[in-house]
Amino acid sequence: MDLTDELDRHMRTLLPKLKLIPDEARAFTMSMDDAIRGYRFTRELLERLLAYGLPAAGGPDGPRMDDLDLRNVALRLGFGPVALAARRFWAASLNQSGGQARTYEIFYHATCPTPGHGSVCRYRFALPGGGHVDCEIPADGGASYKTTFSLDTEWPLLPSESRHILEVMEGLEFMYLPGPLKTDLDFIRRTGLSDCRGTTEFLVREGRRHGVPVRPSFGFIVAPPYSSRHNWAEFLVGDRWVPIDPVLIRLMVDMGLLDARDWPGFRSPGTMLVRIGDGPTWIVAHEGDPVPAEVRTRRLRRD
């Protein structure tokens, strides 16, 4: 990467937007070493980011930065797992259509958070399409579960009578936001910044305000070898709930991964989205409490 040209181009547009996020919403916990390990930034790149004005606070071992700020920079510069997944897997999934439904296997793995609590661990796994499955596993060991699901490769376009709902989203740009701002619709309207959860709430509210059948969805972006948690809205078209996510599509167009002529905001990214439920929820629970889980995914066959 040509650091000077590439960094200058991105930071001139990104920094003013990052500064719309109030410092009191930031957590200045990331040291230089943390950022190097977590995002594979070089020290030279981090020093340049700070020189450009990336928000930071003093720490015992040098400047401390906000993890979400670094995540936003990494995404624009093509660093980190999300940028890698978008370039290698998301775009490929969206740009391939037609044929039979694609079949995937999803593999969950979690570990007991409280070893020694008893002889058995009771786990609950949230499943694609809704529902769940309960398992009892000998205590202190890891819990694994796998299941299969299919994704359609053809999705209807949002009808013209519903497309006007998306007009309110035209100025929105994807940005990782701190918790209090994710669903602050006044902040989203004022700044034009929104993450997937805020985008979903915005679309659902606007759709219902106009009498259009729409529902929130939470689940995975399916991108082997891993799947990522995501929120989006679904509009009822005929008898099908059709995933719609104009802000995600715009991000991928801006990254040069999708052609804007082929991917208007009303086109469905449903070829890579599998629904679990209405809103953000646990993926794996242990004794009734959510626990961190690894979610691996693979395509079972090519059609």
Side-chain angles (χ1 to χ4, degrees):
M1 175 192 298
D2 184 329
L3 279 178
T4 302
D5 293 343
E6 189 77 3
L7 198 57
D8 184 70
R9 179 171 68 86
H10 284 287
M11 296 311 288
R12 282 182 183 276
T13 58
L14 180 59
L15 264 179
K17 295 169 184 175
L18 285 179
K19 290 183 177 180
L20 294 172
I21 301 171
D23 274 354
E24 56 265 28
R26 290 187 162 89
F28 293 111
T29 59
M30 296 289 286
S31 68
M32 286 271 204
D33 289 341
D34 292 333
I36 290 169
R37 285 193 299 268
Y39 294 99
R40 298 183 180 178
F41 288 155
T42 64
R43 191 167 295 274
E44 177 189 7
L45 175 56
L46 289 168
E47 289 172 351
R48 292 193 181 203
L49 291 173
L50 292 169
Y52 271 99
L54 184 73
D61 52 355
R64 292 291 178 111
M65 295 155 284
D66 178 73
D67 182 47
L68 293 180
D69 284 341
L70 292 173
R71 196 179 301 180
N72 283 311
V73 172
L75 182 61
R76 269 66 179 186
L77 295 181
F79 286 79
V82 173
L84 180 64
R87 293 183 185 281
R88 289 190 178 180
F89 306 113
W90 299 3
S93 178
L94 291 178
N95 283 318
Q96 294 177 13
S97 61
Q100 299 177 352
R102 299 175 193 151
T103 303
Y104 296 89
E105 179 181 77
I106 196 165
F107 178 87
Y108 306 81
H109 182 75
T111 57
C112 176
T114 54
H117 66 84
S119 60
V120 172
C121 291
R122 296 173 180 84
Y123 289 91
R124 175 167 287 185
F125 300 88
L127 300 179
H132 61 268
V133 64
D134 295 316
C135 298
E136 289 190 357
I137 309 291
D140 301 342
S144 299
Y145 185 80
K146 67 180 179 181
T147 188
T148 60
F149 62 94
S150 296
L151 287 177
D152 290 338
T153 57
E154 294 288 350
W155 290 88
L157 290 177
L158 199 63
S160 57
E161 59 267 24
S162 299
R163 293 180 191 176
H164 70 281
I165 303 299
L166 304 189
E167 292 175 1
V168 299
M169 315 297 290
E170 288 180 357
L172 293 189
E173 179 177 353
F174 180 83
M175 192 77 66
Y176 293 109
L177 295 174
L181 300 181
K182 286 178 179 291
T183 56
D184 186 335
L185 298 189
D186 289 336
F187 173 85
I188 292 171
R189 289 190 184 94
R190 185 175 70 253
T191 63
L193 308 178
S194 181
D195 70 359
C196 65
R197 187 171 175 187
T199 297
T200 300
E201 294 210 8
F202 208 119
L203 267 178
V204 169
R205 180 170 295 189
E206 286 299 309
R208 290 176 177 171
R209 189 166 69 88
H210 289 85
V212 174
V214 58
R215 70 180 183 182
S217 278
F218 169 77
F220 295 122
I221 294 178
V222 178
Y226 293 96
S227 288
S228 307
R229 292 165 175 81
H230 190 58
N231 296 270
W232 64 92
E234 294 186 348
F235 287 73
L236 189 62
V237 179
D239 60 354
R240 296 181 70 186
W241 286 102
V242 178
I244 297 292
D245 195 337
V247 175
L248 176 64
I249 287 176
R250 186 175 303 117
L251 172 67
M252 296 184 67
V253 167
D254 291 344
M255 293 174 70
L257 305 177
L258 298 178
D259 189 326
R261 295 168 297 182
D262 297 328
W263 282 95
F266 55 80
R267 184 172 173 182
S268 175
T271 57
M272 68 172 189
L273 297 175
V274 60
R275 188 175 194 269
I276 288 177
D278 287 344
T281 186
W282 51 272
I283 301 300
V284 179
H286 170 271
E287 301 293 341
D289 295 321
V291 292
E294 181 182 76
V295 183
R296 296 201 300 261
T297 310
R298 71 185 181 100
R299 179 108 176 257
L300 289 184
R301 66 172 181 268
R302 295 186 179 275
D303 301 307

